[in-house]
Amino acid sequence: MSNRDSAVLADPPRDIAFGNDDFERIRRLIRERAGISLNDSKRQMAYSRLSRRVRATGTGSFAAYLDRLERDGGDEWQEFINALTTNLTSFFREQHHFPVLLEFARNHLKTTGKPPRLWCSAASTGEEPYSIAMTLDEAGCGNARMVASDIDTNVLAQAARGVYKAESAQSLDPARLKRYFMRGTSTNSGLVRVRPEMRRMIEFRQVNLLDATWNLGDAFDVIFCRNVMIYFDKPTQHSILEKFARVLRPGGLLFAGHSENFSDFHGPFVLRGKTVYERR
């Protein structure tokens, strides 16, 4: 191997020492707290994101930062979790799910006389729950109520504001953009905001899927948990699916992400479409 090849494969320069013991400790703590399994490819990501917390807390090293975290905990645990969670989302991502939701919502309204109750369990910065809310409105369920949760408090605050750069909404159908968003003017030029009636449909709450109980009220008719389970190992996935089954009514739907497959879970879910599961 040439010196040039060795340079390409070497770790990038770091101003704070970061050893294997530090990374293994981070992996253990984030798995215990949030269920997230970090593989070796996430080493640089962990350094980049948590080195900011090392600097912000003035602890000077990863070892000292993690010592303080385990000793004192407090609000820093949430900062630790926020730093290591990944938030990749967009409006109407995985488009094939929304016609299924539209039909389900219409049928539910027709047969029960009321809109379905929903939980978006990985709300991120809000594009997913607002996409769900728009679909419910188009199904005639504008009075529906939804819980939208995430473990990351920073993204939840963004979601609750419902303000986005205009280019992030450009993929929306023009009629939807006009119906459900307000364009910013003056100092808010280049921004759009979700209309208040859409925001009123959603209750944003911080929820850790690893918690023993979620205390979310009545059972749900629909749960969205997309592109979250990929960060958990199989035992954790199965544990969460069992808990989903307990809070989802029979006949209700669970929407999963495009790279998630629960065929090895021999529980009360039956595949009803592309990454759509029905609660038996």
Side-chain angles (χ1 to χ4, degrees), residues 53 59 62 172 187:
R53 297 308 308 160
T59 44
F62 279 89
L172 289 168
T187 58

Side-chain angles (χ1 to χ4, degrees), residues 41 96 103 106 111 114 128 136 177 192 195 199 211 221 230 232 240 244 264 270:
S41 68
H96 62 280
E103 181 181 6
R106 284 175 172 164
T111 56
K114 58 185 180 181
E128 181 170 291
L136 291 172
L177 188 59
V192 294
R195 290 190 177 275
R199 300 203 306 277
D211 288 345
D221 302 295
I230 54 174
F232 303 145
I240 292 171
F244 279 155
D264 62 332
V270 180

Side-chain angles (χ1 to χ4, degrees), residues 181 185 197 228 235 256:
F181 291 83
T185 59
E197 53 268 34
V228 177

Side-chain angles (χ1 to χ4, degrees), residues 91-190:
F91 289 107
F92 288 92
R93 187 183 184 197
E94 303 196 39
Q95 174 64 42
H96 62 280
H97 281 159
F98 293 94
V100 177
L101 175 62
L102 181 74
E103 181 181 6
F104 180 88
R106 284 175 172 164
N107 288 339
H108 190 278
L109 181 64
K110 182 178 179 179
T111 56
T112 69
K114 58 185 180 181
R117 187 166 189 261
L118 292 94
W119 177 21
C120 174
S121 66
S124 187
T125 48
E127 288 89 338
E128 181 170 291
Y130 290 125
S131 299
I132 295 170
M134 287 183 255
T135 303
L136 291 172
D137 184 71
E138 291 166 355
C141 299
N143 61 335
R145 292 294 178 266
M146 179 194 334
V147 175
S149 68
D150 204 282
I151 194 171
D152 186 331
T153 54
N154 290 335
V155 296
L156 276 177
Q158 288 182 254
R161 287 194 295 272
V163 177
Y164 302 94
K165 292 182 179 179
E167 56 263 31
S168 71
Q170 288 307 305
S171 61
L172 289 168
D173 177 272
R176 277 181 175 151
L177 188 59
K178 182 177 180 180
R179 182 174 180 179
Y180 296 117
F181 291 83
M182 300 177 291
R183 291 188 179 276
T185 59
S186 187
T187 58
N188 293 318
S189 180

Side-chain angles (χ1 to χ4, degrees), residues 29-139:
L29 292 174
I30 193 62
R31 181 173 177 174
E32 289 174 355
R33 285 278 166 163
I36 297 171
S37 296
L38 296 180
N39 59 37
D40 287 338
S41 68
K42 302 298 183 182
R43 184 181 299 263
Q44 179 57 27
M45 180 273 281
Y47 171 83
S48 176
R49 296 185 183 182
L50 282 180
S51 61
R52 300 168 195 164
R53 297 308 308 160
V54 173
R55 297 185 190 97
T57 56
T59 44
S61 71
F62 279 89
Y65 170 74
L66 296 172
D67 284 345
R68 174 177 162 179
L69 186 66
E70 291 198 87
R71 182 181 64 250
D72 301 330
D75 293 342
E76 189 57 34
W77 275 117
Q78 188 62 56
E79 296 292 346
F80 175 78
I81 292 170
N82 288 355
L84 292 175
T85 49
T86 298
N87 297 285
L88 177 64
T89 187
S90 60
F91 289 107
F92 288 92
R93 187 183 184 197
E94 303 196 39
Q95 174 64 42
H96 62 280
H97 281 159
F98 293 94
V100 177
L101 175 62
L102 181 74
E103 181 181 6
F104 180 88
R106 284 175 172 164
N107 288 339
H108 190 278
L109 181 64
K110 182 178 179 179
T111 56
T112 69
K114 58 185 180 181
R117 187 166 189 261
L118 292 94
W119 177 21
C120 174
S121 66
S124 187
T125 48
E127 288 89 338
E128 181 170 291
Y130 290 125
S131 299
I132 295 170
M134 287 183 255
T135 303
L136 291 172
D137 184 71
E138 291 166 355

Side-chain angles (χ1 to χ4, degrees), residues 119 121 209 214 223-225 229 239-249 254 269 279:
W119 177 21
S121 66
L209 293 178
W214 293 322
I223 296 175
F224 272 69
C225 185
M229 296 290 214
S239 173
I240 292 171
L241 286 169
E242 288 170 356
K243 289 193 289 183
F244 279 155
R246 292 198 290 270
V247 299
L248 186 63
R249 290 189 178 97
L254 170 65
F269 288 106
R279 168 75 162 88

